[in-house]
Amino acid sequence: MARPNYTFIDLFAGCGGLSEGFYKLGYTALAHVEIDKFCCETLKERMRYYGYSENDIAKSVIHQDITNDEVMSQLKEAVGDATVDLIIGGPPCQAYSSAGRARDYNGMKKDPRNFLFEHYVKILNEFLPKFFVFENVTGILSANVNNEPIIDKVFAELGKHYNLVDPSRLEFNMAEYGVPQVRRRIIIMGVRKDLNITPDELYDSLKKTHYLPDTTEGDKKKLKKFISVKEAIGDLPSIPQGHKSKSIPFSYSTDNEFISWVKNDENLLYDHVCRTQNPTDTERYEEMARNHWTFEELLRQRPDLRHAKQRVFGNSYVVQFWDAPARTIIAHLCKDGNQFIHPDFSQGRSISVREAARLQSFPDDFRFFGAMTQQFKQIGNAVPPLFAYKVAKSLKKLLGKK
C-alpha cells in the first residue's frame, strides 16, 4: 500500500470514528489502543477496508488497557521507525460528564478514569508528534478532583511540550459542521513548541459551515442550514420493531450533501436492525411521534400511558423529529431506545443501528462488530467521522506548512 504523507496514533480509539476522518484524507494509522474487544474487531475490519495488510492490522490494533505497562513497548513496535505526526483520541468521558457526576454520590471524584488522561500525556511526551487532538465532553471544564479543576491539571500536563489555546475556544457543536446531531464536545488541539505555528491557527482553520435551528438571522450569513434528521435518515426503508436482518437490498433514492458523504457503492444496507419494546412503550412512541408531543404532553393527554416507575423524567422518552438535528447520540442506546424514538409514528420503534450510525455521520459501509447492544455502545461513544474529517483537513493544511 502506498504510504500517505502523514501518520497518527489513536488512543482510546473506540470503534474508530475519529480515525475515520483521518483515513478519508489519506493519513496512515500507525496504532490504535483500545480496551474493548468489540471495538478492536471493528477497528480491524475498517483497516481491511482501507487496504492494510493483516500483519499491519495485527500489530497496529492494540487490545489493551492503556494503564498496562506493556502498552508503550507495543506502541513502539507498531510505530517502528516511522515519524508520528499526530496523536488523537480522548479518555472515557463518564467521569467528566455532568450526568455521570449527578448519578454518583461522590460526584465521581474517586473514579480512576479521572486520571486516564495522564496515560495519554505519557504517550504524547514519548512520541512528541507535531500536533495532538484530545476530545472529551463539556463536563471536563467543570469537573473537580480534590477541589482542583481537572481542566487545569489537563492543561498543565498537555502544555509541557505543546502550545495551547485559551479554554474559551475549546467547545464545538458538531451540528455546526454538518453532522445531523446537536453534540457539544471539547476539542483540545496542541502544537509542539518548536514549530512556527500558533495553536490559534489550528482553531482558525476549523470553520463552522452550518447554522443551528436557534441561530439568529444575523449569524446565519454565509452558513448552510443544519442537516436535519429527515435529510440524514429519511431515505432508509421502513422496518418493524425487532427487525434483525443484518443486510437488506437497498438503493439510494435521494441525494443531498449529507447522503453524498455516507453513500457507498453496494446495493446493500447493513445493520438496519432495531430492538423490540413492550406494547405500552410502542403506544407511547406512536402517540408522541404522531402528535409531536413531548413526554410531559403525552402524560397530560394520555394519563393511561403514565409510567409505572414514577421516577421517570421529562426527557426519558424523546422523539427525534424530522425537521431538526437529532439530540446527542449516547451510549445509553445500548440499554434502551426511549430517548431516540423514530419520527415516523407508523413504524412505532426506536432508531436502528444504521440510523444511529447515520446520525453520527458514519459511512454506510462502516461495519460494527458485536451484538446490537455493543454496536449502539460503539456508535454512542464515537466522535462523528464527518467532524473528524474536517479536523483532519484543517490539520493537513498546517502539517504541510511546518
Side-chain angles (χ1 to χ4, degrees):
M1 191 180 92
R3 203 170 181 79
N5 290 331
Y6 303 121
T7 62
F8 69 91
I9 293 172
D10 192 354
L11 304 178
F12 309 97
C15 68
L18 193 50
S19 286
E20 181 69 12
F22 287 82
Y23 281 141
K24 290 278 189 190
L25 282 165
Y27 287 77
T28 295
L30 296 175
H32 302 82
V33 180
E34 173 53 42
I35 194 172
D36 184 277
K37 67 177 182 179
F38 297 107
C39 285
C40 286
E41 291 306 312
T42 299
L43 289 166
K44 290 175 184 177
E45 184 62 23
R46 203 58 180 168
M47 291 188 80
R48 291 185 190 102
Y49 174 87
Y50 282 107
Y52 287 78
S53 70
E54 289 300 321
N55 184 54
D56 281 345
I57 293 169
K59 194 168 55 175
S60 299
V61 177
I62 300 170
H63 177 205
Q64 190 70 270
D65 182 335
I66 202 166
T67 65
N68 193 304
D69 291 338
E70 296 174 8
V71 168
M72 190 67 80
S73 61
Q74 289 174 292
L75 278 169
K76 288 178 179 178
E77 182 185 353
V79 169
D81 59 1
T83 298
V84 180
D85 292 307
L86 288 163
I87 286 181
I88 63 176
C93 64
Q94 291 91 335
Y96 306 135
S97 72
S98 54
R101 298 206 303 272
R103 286 193 298 269
D104 187 84
Y105 177 77
N106 293 307
M108 302 194 89
K109 291 174 183 175
K110 297 181 180 179
D111 195 303
R113 290 172 296 189
N114 278 313
F115 298 104
L116 282 175
F117 78 88
E118 293 178 344
H119 296 276
Y120 181 106
V121 172
K122 180 181 176 183
I123 293 166
L124 181 69
N125 291 340
E126 176 66 32
F127 290 99
L128 291 174
K130 298 176 184 72
F131 304 150
F132 73 81
V133 180
F134 179 103
E135 181 267 352
N136 222 279
V137 292
T138 56
I140 197 172
L141 297 181
S142 56
N144 287 279
V145 177
N146 299 325
N147 296 316
E148 180 186 359
I150 196 77
I151 192 65
D152 290 352
K153 188 168 178 60
V154 170
F155 257 57
E157 293 296 322
L158 291 173
K160 286 180 179 175
H161 299 292
Y162 290 84
N163 290 320
L164 309 172
V165 294
D166 186 274
S168 64
R169 299 201 70 177
L170 301 180
E171 186 172 332
F172 291 81
N173 187 337
M174 310 290 151
E176 295 181 297
Y177 298 84
V179 176
Q181 173 196 168
V182 174
R183 188 182 191 88
R184 294 179 175 86
R185 289 294 183 266
I186 296 303
I187 306 293
I188 306 174
M189 296 185 284
V191 180
R192 204 174 61 209
K193 288 183 175 179
D194 63 312
L195 298 177
N196 189 29
I197 298 170
T198 68
D200 283 296
E201 288 179 77
L202 303 186
Y203 289 79
D204 292 343
S205 65
L206 189 54
K207 298 184 187 302
K208 295 176 184 177
T209 53
H210 294 70
Y211 63 80
L212 305 173
D214 58 357
T215 301
T216 62
E217 286 301 319
D219 290 335
K220 288 181 181 179
K221 292 176 182 177
K222 296 184 179 180
L223 295 176
K224 292 179 275 191
K225 186 181 178 182
F226 58 84
I227 305 298
S228 68
V229 170
K230 180 77 171 177
E231 290 171 292
I233 67 170
D235 66 318
L236 295 179
S238 176
I239 55 172
Q241 62 166 286
H243 185 257
K244 293 293 185 287
S245 297
K246 296 290 285 181
S247 64
I248 55 176
F250 179 69
S251 57
Y252 293 89
S253 58
T254 59
D255 196 17
N256 59 47
E257 173 193 352
F258 183 76
I259 294 300
S260 67
W261 165 261
V262 299
K263 196 172 186 177
N264 69 21
D265 297 327
E266 300 181 55
N267 291 317
L268 288 173
L269 184 68
Y270 298 107
D271 299 320
H272 193 32
V273 296
C274 61
R275 52 168 47 92
T276 55
Q277 66 274 338
N278 64 61
T280 306
D281 271 346
T282 299
E283 193 169 359
R284 290 184 182 114
Y285 290 6
E286 290 171 348
E287 287 293 283
M288 289 176 67
R290 178 187 288 111
N291 296 294
H292 281 239
W293 283 343
T294 63
F295 189 48
E296 290 100 329
E297 289 170 322
L298 173 77
L299 297 181
R300 282 199 299 271
Q301 300 295 332
R302 291 288 308 273
D304 57 308
L305 293 178
R306 183 171 293 278
H307 209 284
K309 296 179 183 175
Q310 289 304 308
R311 217 180 140 271
V312 172
F313 302 102
N315 65 351
S316 297
Y317 289 74
V318 182
V319 179
Q320 303 305 307
F321 292 116
W322 286 126
D323 58 355
R327 65 178 296 162
T328 306
I329 302 297
I330 53 177
H332 182 85
L333 257 172
C334 72
K335 297 180 180 177
D336 66 67
N338 295 338
Q339 296 179 55
F340 298 91
I341 300 168
H342 195 282
D344 178 5
F345 67 87
S346 70
Q347 297 188 50
R349 62 175 177 84
S350 54
I351 62 174
S352 72
V353 169
R354 182 49 54 190
E355 287 162 343
R358 282 264 190 111
L359 295 173
Q360 273 278 61
S361 76
F362 279 96
D364 284 348
D365 54 22
F366 197 107
R367 306 297 306 278
F368 302 90
F369 275 69
M372 182 169 62
T373 54
Q374 292 295 334
Q375 294 175 319
F376 276 131
K377 183 180 177 183
Q378 289 175 52
I379 293 165
N381 282 331
V383 175
L386 179 55
F387 179 76
Y389 173 85
K390 294 186 176 183
V391 172
K393 191 174 183 179
S394 66
L395 294 183
K396 196 169 189 178
K397 292 176 190 171
L398 292 165
L399 281 166
K401 177 182 175 181
K402 296 182 183 179

